[in-house]
Amino acid sequence: PKDDIPPSVEGTTAGMTSPAVLATTRVAGAPGVAVLTLQSAPVNLLTMEMWAGLLIALDELEADASVQALVIESGLPRAVFSAGNDLKELHPKLTTVARHAEFWRLQNTFWARLFRSRLFTIAAIRARAPPPVASSH
């Protein structure tokens, strides 16, 4: 799995706060439950570094046999889970072809690994959903 992580972020640890690792882990009050906290103000944009940090954290959590469940939450003071992918990573004039390809590789690798993970996973989202739109029918 370490092959999934680009050299620019390899060797960092998910439990540390650094520019390259925007997700941190801590063990919750319940045995066997780990919490992965997204902490990239102002809106937890999913940058290449965030995706790499998520892969590092997932590696560490899956390697810990005592962890059976994972809760992903936002550590922001505002009620924002994530605004999604950082559009700067996708705009041709703001990135390179290589970085664009690496961004998508990291994102897809994280999702594929999470989907087949042995960890029971929950997203703890504390933001409000928009109100329903009235139908004209």
Side-chain angles (χ1 to χ4, degrees):
K2 291 287 185 202
D3 295 337
D4 297 336
I5 301 161
S8 60
V9 294
E10 192 173 341
T12 57
T13 328
M16 298 172 61
T17 302
S18 76
V21 180
L22 305 174
T24 60
T25 59
R26 63 180 165 79
V27 176
V33 178
V35 178
L36 180 62
T37 306
L38 307 180
Q39 300 183 112
S40 181
V43 292
N44 285 331
L45 285 177
L46 297 170
T47 62
M48 187 162 81
E49 291 76 17
M50 176 71 90
W51 287 116
L54 289 168
L55 274 171
I56 291 168
L58 187 58
D59 275 346
E60 292 177 355
L61 293 169
E62 287 189 319
D64 184 343
S66 70
V67 176
Q68 299 170 4
L70 169 62
V71 177
I72 303 173
E73 68 176 6
S74 171
L76 300 178
R78 295 174 47 197
V80 173
F81 185 75
S82 173
N85 282 335
D86 185 350
L87 296 179
K88 291 179 198 166
E89 300 281 8
L90 308 175
H91 193 283
K93 293 181 181 179
L94 301 176
T95 192
T96 64
V97 171
R99 183 173 174 93
H100 185 261
E102 183 65 6
F103 174 84
W104 285 112
R105 188 191 70 75
L106 282 168
Q107 177 184 306
N108 290 332
T109 300
F110 172 78
W111 285 123
R113 298 248 325 273
L114 184 65
F115 290 150
R116 67 177 190 260
S117 173
R118 66 173 179 77
L119 302 174
F120 181 77
T121 306
I122 299 168
I125 301 174
R126 59 182 167 86
R128 286 183 280 149
V133 177
S135 174
S136 61
H137 295 122

